[in-house]
Amino acid sequence: MTQAVLKNTVKTAVLALDIRDVTFSLSGNTILKDVNITIQQGDFVAVIGPNGSGKTTFLKLILGLYRPDKGTIRVLGQEPNRACSHIGYMPQHPTGDRIFPARVIDVVLSGLIAGNGLLPSLVRVIGPSCNNQDKRKALECLELMGIRGLAKKNVGNLSGGQLQRVLLARALVSNPKILLLDEPMANIDMGTRGILFDLLADLNRSMTILMVTHDIGLISRHIKSVLCIGPQVFFHEAAELTMDMTQALGLQGETCHMELLGHGIPHRVLGRHNEMSEKRGKMIKNRRSDQQESKG
Amino acid sequence: MEQSLALLLSYAFVKNALAAGIMAAIASGIIGTLVVVNRMVFLAGGIAHAAYGGIGLAFFTGMPVLPTVLGFSLCSSAAIGILTKKRSERTDTMIGVLWAMGMAIGILLIDMTPGYNVDLMSFLFGSILAVSPNDLVFMMIMDGIVTFLVAAFYRLLLAYSYDREFLAARGINTTLVHLFLMALVAVSVVMTIRVVGLVLVMALFTMAPYLAEKWTGTLWSMMFTAVILNTIFITAGILIACVFNLSSGATIILVAGTFFLLTLNLSPGRFFMKNP
């Protein structure tokens, strides 16, 4: 059943994300300034930054929910509005339980609805019920999340963690090429986190993943690169696990310091951003596996 | 009692009233459900009250009332829809503005209409006992359209109601869906005005769906239950109003309200829902 979700083949020719000179402000606050980022297909990016730094806004720009004031965004070589049927999106979990008269499977099935920015593709929308193939896909995704048993349950009666897994299933059901996750692990217990990270790593073989996270401890061994969001955006093309991100997260300035955490040998430090941008383009990833082994 | 009921049902105007009541119950049950789950009760109230402008327009121009009010309400719902979408943080303020403006337009147009119209009160508080066969045909067509559209776009409306931002992220123009929903509300409000009047319309759009939501687990079963409840409220209200010679609109609302308050704390859901 993993195979069913992993049907996409990774094309390396088209960039997953190509952001050029993007500036964006929301109600007077400049959130992104002259941002240039390219993300290859197949990457697994952790998006980090302090509260209110615009991580969620960044995802919404990619989804075409906001338009940049300046610059261009290309997702899989297309305008965000055109590409959105290839994106699976998991929004930040709304706080508090929400009463709503729908079953879990109905919510997952809504992830199959797609449009071109104006009209929905009518096949997925017309008619009161879904075809069996779609239902099977939805059940497979719920099974991947380990909550197939909840399919007929009311979404209002779920716990925070269960709802989060439902929303993840909804993001996956369309078998997207890019997966945008906004704090996917926020309400999920430690045991399940490990399982879900392994699942994401599995999915990463066929889809690019961008994951917003607050919790630096969660940056798992599967992550390939790190994106720091402030008014400027820094892209580290390597995942460094033992960095003092709490300090980075506390900083509001234009810089993003990632420093050494004193355990784990060898220590790994991300350089200052200016150094990193010089190194950009070099593949540091191959060092990663050796380091992980020595870390044990 | 049985005799007087049988006698009542032999009158054509009572039969017409009951037929109109059942049709209003269908529209208000289905669309009321969408209004409640989308938290747009105030919005629907705005459309209902702004419809008074349409009544004024019909009297002023001498055009047939229901089609004129429908046209006016579709325009005002589109205006409310566009204004509330652009300034989503001040939605309720925008509704308040259009609510009052619609009614003011109606009052001025009626001021400018020569002669005095006694019939006016019936649009404010319902005049189900004066339903004409033309009204019935009009309501039947509107009911058909509303039911068909909701069934056809059920999944889209469900997804929109649950998470409109996610739907926008899937490339759907949610402003269009919003306007579509507003138009459905406008059509249903106009149908229900005949039965309980525009001041009392919101009762049928809120009470039955609210009770239905507690007892059911899916959107369609909530709609179905709300339709049944509204049918019971309206039928009982009309019959009681006829027997005791009361205003039908107010009687319907009080029947519904009494039932609502009595059952508020009951949860029959325990008996027919698997996972209460």
Side-chain angles (χ1 to χ4, degrees), chain A residues 269-286:
Chain A
V269 192
L270 281 184
R272 292 296 179 109
H273 290 118
N274 49 0
E275 299 167 30
M276 284 309 296
S277 48
E278 284 165 21
K279 282 190 213 162
R280 187 186 282 181
K282 284 185 192 171
M283 295 298 289
I284 319 171
K285 288 174 191 167
N286 48 0

Side-chain angles (χ1 to χ4, degrees), chain B:
Chain B
M1 192 69 190
E2 268 175 42
Q3 275 176 337
S4 62
L5 263 186
L7 187 66
L8 268 182
L9 290 174
S10 67
Y11 292 120
F13 76 90
V14 178
K15 279 184 203 158
N16 279 355
L18 289 175
I22 289 167
M23 281 188 276
I26 293 171
S28 58
I30 292 174
I31 302 303
T33 295
L34 290 171
V35 166
V36 166
V37 298
N38 279 291
R39 295 160 200 238
M40 39 191 260
V41 172
F42 191 59
L43 224 165
I47 294 176
H49 283 77
Y52 195 69
I55 291 166
L57 189 66
F59 276 82
F60 184 68
T61 57
M63 291 191 286
V65 176
L66 282 188
T68 311
V69 178
L70 178 66
F72 187 90
S73 291
L74 284 175
C75 294
S76 67
S77 72
I80 293 180
I82 289 165
L83 281 177
T84 53
K85 201 73 193 179
K86 279 198 174 158
R87 302 180 215 292
S88 49
E89 76 283 4
R90 285 286 173 264
T91 301
D92 48 351
T93 310
M94 294 297 142
I95 297 166
V97 169
L98 288 174
W99 175 315
M101 277 183 68
M103 294 208 81
I105 290 171
I107 292 167
L108 287 186
L109 283 172
I110 286 165
D111 278 352
M112 292 189 285
T113 308
Y116 180 71
N117 264 300
V118 187
D119 203 22
L120 215 53
M121 281 291 280
S122 73
F123 289 100
L124 286 174
F125 301 107
S127 65
I128 198 165
L129 301 180
V131 176
S132 70
N134 274 349
D135 290 344
L136 279 183
V137 171
F138 179 81
M139 290 175 80
M140 208 180 288
I141 294 169
M142 292 295 104
D143 238 0
I145 292 174
V146 167
T147 314
F148 172 78
L149 285 177
V150 171
F153 291 100
Y154 177 78
R155 279 182 283 160
L156 186 66
L157 291 168
L158 175 76
Y160 177 80
S161 308
Y162 184 68
D163 189 347
R164 61 192 69 177
E165 188 177 63
F166 178 80
L167 204 58
R170 295 294 302 159
I172 309 292
N173 185 333
T174 45
T175 309
L176 277 185
V177 184
H178 183 65
L179 290 177
F180 172 59
L181 188 52
M182 303 281 294
L184 287 175
V185 172
V187 172
S188 317
V189 160
V190 173
M191 282 187 57
T192 320
I193 282 178
R194 253 295 177 215
V195 179
V196 290
L198 57 85
V199 177
L200 304 178
V201 156
M202 291 326 297
L204 292 181
F205 279 73
T206 51
M207 286 195 267
Y210 179 85
L211 292 175
E213 185 175 36
K214 298 208 307 175
W215 300 343
T216 57
T218 60
L219 196 62
W220 74 263
S221 59
M222 181 174 162
M223 288 173 176
F224 184 75
T225 311
V227 168
I228 299 286
L229 283 174
N230 269 345
T231 307
I232 294 170
F233 297 156
I234 293 174
T235 311
I238 289 171
L239 293 178
I240 292 172
C242 288
V243 170
F244 297 101
N245 194 21
L246 301 167
S247 298
S248 57
T251 313
I252 291 168
I253 302 307
L254 280 183
V255 167
T258 310
F259 185 85
F260 180 81
L261 292 176
L262 287 177
T263 53
L264 207 50
N265 286 320
L266 292 182
S267 180
R270 252 173 279 160
F271 301 107
F272 51 76
M273 260 175 67
K274 269 185 189 164
N275 300 300

